[in-house]
Amino acid sequence: MSKVKKPFYRGEVYKSQNEDRRTLSFVVNIYKDKKDKEKIWIVSNDILAPTEANNHPTSVNYHPKLFRRLKEILIQEDRWVE
């Protein structure tokens, strides 16, 4: 049985209560690294270059809370493979 790709949806990133400010929303794609299971890539067209968040304490990209939350999202979307 092949997996059907779920469509990405545009979510609200931030909505200010101040009427003089704008709301910014865009799609962010999240991928688990194929080789390093403790590394996740965050990508967004024209807004964010591929950015790494990993779970390696000695790395400059060590963001354990962000990594844990993104992993939870990937598991919830059935896109995490151990």
Side-chain angles (χ1 to χ4, degrees):
M1 183 174 159
S2 65
K3 287 187 180 182
V4 176
K5 287 190 175 183
K6 293 183 182 179
F8 290 106
Y9 60 92
R10 196 169 291 274
E12 196 168 88
V13 176
Y14 173 78
K15 183 167 184 162
S16 173
Q17 299 302 318
N18 186 334
E19 293 179 8
D20 296 336
R21 297 191 181 152
R22 294 182 180 176
T23 297
L24 175 64
S25 63
F26 56 92
V27 175
V28 176
N29 298 322
I30 302 166
Y31 304 97
K32 183 175 76 169
D33 193 282
K34 288 181 180 178
K35 295 179 183 174
D36 186 345
K37 298 192 188 307
E38 294 296 305
K39 185 185 291 184
I40 294 173
W41 293 96
I42 306 159
V43 182
S44 180
N45 289 344
D46 301 325
I47 293 182
L48 183 68
T51 304
E52 172 190 340
N54 68 41
N55 204 26
H56 302 299
T58 57
S59 171
V60 295
N61 295 315
Y62 177 56
H63 302 293
K65 288 183 181 178
L66 176 60
F67 180 87
R68 188 169 49 247
R69 182 64 186 118
L70 294 177
K71 181 178 178 180
E72 289 171 3
I73 291 169
L74 289 168
I75 289 170
Q76 179 183 334
E77 294 292 322
D78 197 27
R79 295 184 181 267
W80 186 271
V81 180
E82 291 294 337

